[in-house]
Amino acid sequence: MEEAASPGDGRRRKWPISAICAVAVLIVGLGAGAWALREFPRACQGAPVTITVAVQPEIGSAVREVAARFNVQTHDVRGRCVRVEIAERDPATVARMFTGRSLSSGGAGSPSAIDGWLPESWIWMYLARSTPAGAQRVPFGVDSVATSPVVFATSTGTAAQLRQRKAAVNWSLLLKADAGHLGLSRRMLDPAASAAGIATLMAAYKIDSAGLAGFAGGMESRSAITAPALFTDLTTLARDQRSLMAVTEQQVVAYDDTHRPNPAAALVPEEGTLSLDYPFGVTAPDPVRREAAEAFRYALLSRVGQDTFQRFGFRTPSGTLSADLARRYGLAESAPKQLNLADPAKTALTSVREWTRLAPQVRLLVLLDASGSMLGQAAGGRTRLQLAARTLRSGLRLLPAGAQAGLWSVATASSGGPGGGVGYRELVPMTAVTGGSGGRAGVGAGGTDGADRIASAADRIRPAASAGTGLYDAILAAYRDIRQGHVADRPGAATGSAEIVLVLTDGDDDAVRLRGLYDAVRAQQDPRRPVRVVTVAFGPEGAGSDSLKQVGELTGGVLYSTGDPARLAVPLENALAPHLCVLGCSAR
């Protein structure tokens, strides 16, 4: 008998394996419902019903493929055709959105614009229901469309060394770095932004509840926002710094698909693990839109939908993998052994709160693009610079108690590339920007709220129309400054800080000097005091800079982008997500 918990009410339900299989057979036998694969000979009447489904980015490509098939078929709800649009959304941001604690409060960032939600785990739905507003919109105990277990990822060479030394592949490898006298560089995904990170903490709590605080405190500086940022260890660490990362099996598959000559190895802990369940919840309040979202849910559960998910490295809801794909990736066909948690919801909350309690003070150095293109107007008649200032003020106020931020402007004297003098200027030194959770503003130097000081300083920037974007030199200078400077003066220096260089830009550097920046940052990295470079690109000119993405991944950061400056709030909140709290932050 396999046990499944109901975190919503704390009760336990037992589901026989035979019953689960019977349900799966029934779904396949019915062609996944009355709507999913039915094609109508007649045209639908009236305007189509277009719904938006927010999905976890890593499953986004697979869901888009299912949606593309769904959209070329005829699916009607009350005589109207259904069309599905997929919006990749960070699940922590969507959870905050439903709780009413989000920076993204209007238009596509509003909960009313989301008709269905597919996060990576039930955990995000549970957290989203922590307020009355969230509980009203977000369902619980809904169907899983795929699964992926949390595993250890390492290089094939390190995996071979572990086998040669007959080292047990268990949670001690991550919790205590006990690997038969082999030194391991242990890392995990940040639980504030990733359910895989939360699941890693939950497993640590199950294996050694008394040691959770020590493990969380030790791993805090070794966490990363995204899996690609973690996987850079496989190519950047020295041979004697053997990498061991807690990630999902699907993330290993995705990495191996693009690194076939040097793949990563996935190791399942002997004690068992926890799996992400990718639940699909219908969140639309309107009855017609709810029916439309239900139609798409059945398409995701159809045989075609399930085959699609497996091709992208995900397992079925019951945890199995096709024989061909298992053989291709060197994985087991059957579901890995699962850790048995008496109360998953309680374990998740305990783990998240422990991580939040031990989280370091946030120190954020903002580099704001002050090039001529920032004078361009966006929606509502505001310039890109004005939109950035307004959104930045709101975003900084969502940070926890004790957070600090500073502001630099960045521009070259002309847009002529290397010939133009690079300029970056401090406008606001490090100052307190918040007084705690709930958006309550704190007071910085001079009795003025730090978030307002930074926003006002941004508003006062007057870029020259010919000014270019000297980002690379500014990033390197900011990286050095935040890593080396202010150490003796900052509060909480003894306990450490989460130090971030946040780049806000509508374009890339005019003079591409990526190799020099990449090598300079790499040479200055200190694992004891990591500094993340996180970029938010919010204009067509810089909405997909590979060079800025590479620098971010090197430092454990990431690049978020949108081609519409009026929607800056969405990527900015994604960028700040690891330092915001779904459940609210306690004052330090």
Side-chain angles (χ1 to χ4, degrees), residues 229 367 369 410 469-476 501-515 517-518 521 532-539 541-561:
L367 305 188
D369 186 344
V410 181
T469 311
L471 287 177
Y472 293 156
D473 290 329
I475 290 172
L476 182 57
V501 175
L502 175 64
V503 183
L504 300 181
T505 179
D506 71 342
D508 205 348
D509 199 333
D510 300 299
V512 179
R513 295 180 293 277
L514 172 62
R515 188 74 258 167
L517 173 63
Y518 191 93
V521 169
R532 290 174 176 168
V533 177
V534 178
T535 299
V536 175
F538 54 94
E541 299 91 341
S545 170
D546 288 338
S547 49
L548 292 174
K549 181 180 178 181
Q550 290 178 50
V551 172
E553 290 180 353
L554 173 67
T555 62
V558 68
L559 178 142
Y560 295 100
S561 64

Side-chain angles (χ1 to χ4, degrees), residues 173-211:
L173 291 179
L174 191 72
L175 302 183
K176 300 177 181 178
D178 181 8
H181 304 294
L182 285 177
L184 294 175
S185 176
R186 304 165 296 152
R187 298 191 71 188
M188 62 182 284
L189 288 165
D190 195 318
S194 166
I198 297 176
T200 301
L201 289 181
M202 293 170 68
Y205 182 78
K206 169 67 177 179
I207 300 300
D208 181 14
S209 59

Side-chain angles (χ1 to χ4, degrees), residues 83-148:
R83 294 291 180 268
V84 179
E85 292 183 353
I86 303 302
E88 294 187 8
R89 294 282 189 273
D90 167 68
T93 300
V94 178
R96 278 189 299 275
M97 190 183 301
F98 280 114
T99 63
R101 300 173 179 142
S102 174
L103 177 62
S104 311
S105 57
S110 169
S112 62
I114 298 178
D115 303 296
W117 185 24
L118 203 170
E120 57 190 339
S121 171
W122 63 266
I123 296 171
W124 295 119
M125 288 186 165
Y126 181 66
L127 295 178
R129 292 170 56 85
S130 63
T131 66
Q136 185 177 10
R137 287 290 306 279
V138 179
F140 202 75
V142 296
D143 289 332
S144 165
V145 303
T147 58
S148 190

Side-chain angles (χ1 to χ4, degrees), residues 122 198-199 201-206 212 274 340-353:
W122 63 266
I198 297 176
L201 289 181
M202 293 170 68
Y205 182 78
K206 169 67 177 179
L212 176 63
L274 297 173
N340 182 26
L341 301 179
D343 191 337
K346 181 179 179 181
T347 303
L349 288 177
T350 299
S351 302
V352 170
R353 285 171 175 159

Side-chain angles (χ1 to χ4, degrees), residues 412-438:
T412 55
S414 71
S415 58
V422 173
Y424 42 87
R425 187 163 59 95
E426 182 181 77
L427 301 181
V428 180
M430 284 290 177
T431 185
V433 294
T434 182
S437 60

Side-chain angles (χ1 to χ4, degrees), residues 271-286:
E271 306 98 323
T273 187
L274 297 173
S275 293
L276 306 192
D277 62 337
Y278 298 91
F280 182 86
V282 176
T283 58
D286 176 74

Side-chain angles (χ1 to χ4, degrees), residues 266-506:
L267 309 176
V268 180
E270 294 172 355
E271 306 98 323
T273 187
L274 297 173
S275 293
L276 306 192
D277 62 337
Y278 298 91
F280 182 86
V282 176
T283 58
D286 176 74
V288 175
R289 302 180 75 83
R290 288 186 66 84
E291 288 186 32
E294 287 285 359
F296 185 59
R297 179 174 68 87
Y298 281 112
L300 295 172
L301 291 169
S302 70
R303 182 186 297 276
V304 173
Q306 291 297 293
D307 288 346
T308 301
F309 288 131
Q310 290 203 58
R311 283 194 288 103
F312 281 86
F314 296 93
R315 291 177 177 266
T316 67
S318 61
T320 60
L321 195 62
S322 73
D324 288 344
L325 290 171
R327 184 165 48 252
R328 177 182 176 185
Y329 294 113
L331 304 171
E333 293 180 44
S334 58
K337 178 183 176 182
Q338 297 291 296
L339 290 173
N340 182 26
L341 301 179
D343 191 337
K346 181 179 179 181
T347 303
L349 288 177
T350 299
S351 302
V352 170
R353 285 171 175 159
E354 191 66 16
W355 183 269
T356 300
R357 183 181 70 82
L358 294 168
Q361 182 189 62
V362 177
R363 296 184 73 244
L364 188 72
L365 180 50
V366 181
L367 305 188
L368 180 58
D369 186 344
S371 62
S373 60
M374 292 289 283
L375 294 172
Q377 288 195 340
R382 291 185 174 88
T383 67
R384 297 178 183 181
L385 194 59
Q386 289 170 331
L387 286 172
R390 185 183 66 170
T391 308
L392 186 58
R393 175 190 283 113
S394 300
L396 293 177
R397 286 182 171 175
L398 292 178
L399 292 171
Q404 294 181 321
L407 176 68
W408 289 11
S409 65
V410 181
T412 55
S414 71
S415 58
V422 173
Y424 42 87
R425 187 163 59 95
E426 182 181 77
L427 301 181
V428 180
M430 284 290 177
T431 185
V433 294
T434 182
S437 60
R440 182 163 53 89
V443 176
T448 304
D449 170 40
D452 284 338
R453 290 183 64 197
I454 289 173
S456 296
D459 270 334
R460 291 193 297 271
I461 296 174
R462 297 293 181 265
S466 62
T469 311
L471 287 177
Y472 293 156
D473 290 329
I475 290 172
L476 182 57
Y479 188 91
R480 289 169 173 163
D481 186 89
I482 199 170
R483 191 176 75 83
Q484 299 173 352
H486 311 292
V487 176
D489 299 331
R490 74 177 187 265
T495 58
S497 299
E499 298 180 320
I500 308 108
V501 175
L502 175 64
V503 183
L504 300 181
T505 179
D506 71 342

